[in-house]
Amino acid sequence: MKIIAFLILVTTAFCSFFEVQSVSASSEQYCRIMTETYLYKSADNIQEMENVIFTLEETYFAKVQGEHSDFYEVSYNGVTGFVLKNDVMLINGTPVTPYPENITFDVNKSVSLIIRSLPNENGEYLGLLPYGASAEYIAQTTGQEMVKDLGNIWYYINYKSLEQGVISGYIYAGLTENLTEIVPNTEEFSQATSGGIEEIISPELLDVNNLLIILGLCVAGVILLLALLLPLRRSKREKEQIINKNQLTFDNKIDNNDFDF
């Protein structure tokens, strides 16, 4: 019974421990975009427009994944990059609508738009967005003015092609129309401190701590198990010695016919 009770206790402790770790690991840190700013491909050469992925939508949110000098590494609607710390604010909580949703647009009639890797004619050809097709709008940025007087805005989109699967890239917005209005996000959150992202930016440290805790639990479990089993083994051995001694005494009495009836 003692062993069963011990195993139940250890199992419960391990389940509780991993449940806590699961909750901790699933927690997410977001930052609010406080001003119009860029999502960069890297934290270097931010003066170069080719390092810009797109413009982050003010009042919305990005998920913080790490920290690098004056930047946070973030994910915005599935796209990972870097944003200046001064342009965002860490928040307490998880937004319901971190990114603009259900933003649609129409491609001008009789036009198929080229999806490119960059917002200019030098961008690699990735595929075609035909007239009438639907695509997921992610964000927009400035680039080359492909058609005179139609501006230099490009949309970054995800397009699900039957032949190629999901294509992520830029299309020239000058040949589109009816973009859904993006209204400000009015969700309210208190400001968080930078220390709130320690677990997120140092997952390897968290893993080491977990490993040490698990190792400590295992060692403690083995010690407790031995502490329970050794008395039982000693008691069993003593019983066997008593039985053997009694049997030997009985045998000697038989040999010597030394019985009192």
Side-chain angles (χ1 to χ4, degrees):
M1 283 298 292
K2 288 184 178 180
I3 295 177
I4 295 175
F6 169 75
L7 292 177
I8 293 175
L9 180 63
V10 171
T11 303
T12 304
F14 268 93
C15 290
S16 300
F17 170 75
F18 283 115
E19 182 179 356
V20 170
Q21 293 305 314
S22 176
V23 171
S24 175
S26 64
S27 62
E28 297 174 331
Q29 174 70 66
Y30 282 84
C31 62
R32 176 164 233 145
I33 301 155
M34 301 302 295
T35 184
E36 184 176 291
T37 187
Y38 294 125
L39 182 69
Y40 296 98
K41 298 174 184 176
S42 73
D44 302 316
N45 302 321
I46 63 172
Q47 292 79 17
E48 298 180 5
M49 284 304 297
E50 288 194 356
N51 192 29
V52 173
I53 302 176
F54 49 66
T55 300
L56 294 171
E57 198 66 44
E58 187 177 350
T59 72
Y60 282 85
F61 305 87
K63 186 187 299 182
V64 180
Q65 296 182 328
E67 187 172 7
H68 181 80
S69 186
D70 295 329
F71 294 83
Y72 290 129
E73 183 178 2
V74 299
S75 174
Y76 180 88
N77 208 357
V79 182
T80 300
F82 295 84
V83 62
L84 282 166
K85 291 180 180 179
N86 290 339
D87 294 338
V88 299
M89 180 185 75
L90 295 178
I91 64 167
N92 291 311
T94 301
V96 176
T97 309
Y99 325 110
E101 293 182 339
N102 303 318
I103 306 301
T104 62
F105 58 87
D106 298 323
V107 177
N108 287 355
K109 295 180 180 180
S110 303
V111 173
S112 291
L113 297 181
I114 297 176
I115 305 173
R116 297 184 180 275
S117 62
L118 295 171
N120 55 59
E121 62 184 356
N122 296 323
E124 178 186 355
Y125 173 92
L126 301 177
L128 281 178
L129 177 65
Y131 166 71
S134 59
E136 179 186 12
Y137 171 92
I138 303 297
Q140 63 182 353
T141 189
T142 56
Q144 181 181 3
E145 185 179 35
M146 299 292 289
V147 180
K148 187 177 180 181
D149 298 329
L150 291 185
N152 62 349
I153 301 299
W154 292 66
Y155 296 156
Y156 188 90
I157 65 166
N158 288 334
Y159 170 59
K160 190 173 184 179
S161 167
L162 294 177
E163 297 80 15
Q164 299 173 257
V166 177
I167 304 173
S168 299
Y170 301 90
I171 59 167
Y172 180 55
L175 298 176
T176 68
E177 57 188 6
N178 301 326
L179 178 70
T180 304
E181 180 184 4
I182 301 176
V183 298
N185 188 307
T186 57
E187 296 179 58
E188 295 184 1
F189 296 93
S190 60
Q191 183 174 0
T193 62
S194 59
I197 65 171
E198 290 300 326
E199 290 185 356
I200 297 175
I201 65 175
S202 303
E204 67 281 356
L205 179 60
L206 186 60
D207 291 341
V208 171
N209 290 338
N210 290 348
L211 182 61
L212 291 175
I213 293 173
I214 293 172
L215 182 60
L217 287 173
C218 290
V219 171
V222 170
I223 292 174
L224 288 174
L225 185 61
L226 289 175
L228 289 172
L229 290 178
L230 285 178
L232 293 177
R233 293 186 62 185
R234 184 167 57 249
S235 176
K236 183 178 180 181
R237 187 165 56 249
E238 289 174 351
K239 289 180 180 179
E240 291 176 350
Q241 289 175 351
I242 292 173
I243 292 173
N244 291 336
K245 183 178 180 180
N246 290 338
Q247 183 65 44
L248 180 61
T249 301
F250 181 78
D251 292 341
N252 289 336
K253 287 187 177 183
I254 290 178
D255 293 339
N256 298 327
N257 195 20
D258 187 15
F259 287 96
D260 294 326
F261 296 100

